[in-house]
């Protein structure tokens, strides 16, 4: 399955909306609440949170 998001910055390879790594379905993502994150993505998100590299709301 392919997916394109208008918020994805292909040059910087990150999310313009959240200004951090794209993890579809994460809190603050346009897809938030539309599906369940996989365990791998949950672990990736937790790792980024621990590093202070995530934001859960757009500003
Ligand atoms: S995190 Fe969500 S809103 Fe941001 S680029 Fe990825 S899919 Fe789009």
């Amino acid at each position: 399955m392919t997916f394109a998001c208008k918020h994805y910055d292909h040059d910087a390879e990150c999310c313009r909306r959240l200004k951090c790594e794209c993890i579809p379905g994460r809190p603050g993502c346009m897809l938030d609440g539309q599906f369940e994150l996989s365990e791998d993505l949950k672990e990736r998100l937790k790792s980024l949170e621990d590093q202070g590299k995530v934001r859960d709301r757009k500003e």
Side-chain angles (χ1 to χ4, degrees):
M1 183 172 105
T2 59
F3 169 73
C5 176
K6 65 181 181 181
H7 299 291
Y8 188 73
D9 184 334
H10 291 273
D11 294 326
E13 297 183 345
C14 67
C15 175
R16 282 191 296 258
R17 178 181 170 119
L18 299 173
K19 300 178 177 55
C20 52
E21 184 174 329
C22 169
I23 298 180
R26 68 189 300 168
C29 171
M30 62 181 288
L31 300 173
D32 185 13
Q34 296 189 31
F35 60 89
E36 180 77 16
L37 287 177
S38 70
E39 290 304 315
D40 285 347
L41 286 179
K42 286 179 183 176
E43 288 179 20
R44 178 69 182 142
L45 190 54
K46 175 75 170 66
S47 173
L48 291 171
E49 286 172 348
D50 291 346
Q51 297 171 43
K53 293 182 178 178
V54 296
R55 298 163 55 178
D56 61 1
R57 299 276 186 267
K58 68 175 183 175
E59 293 179 353

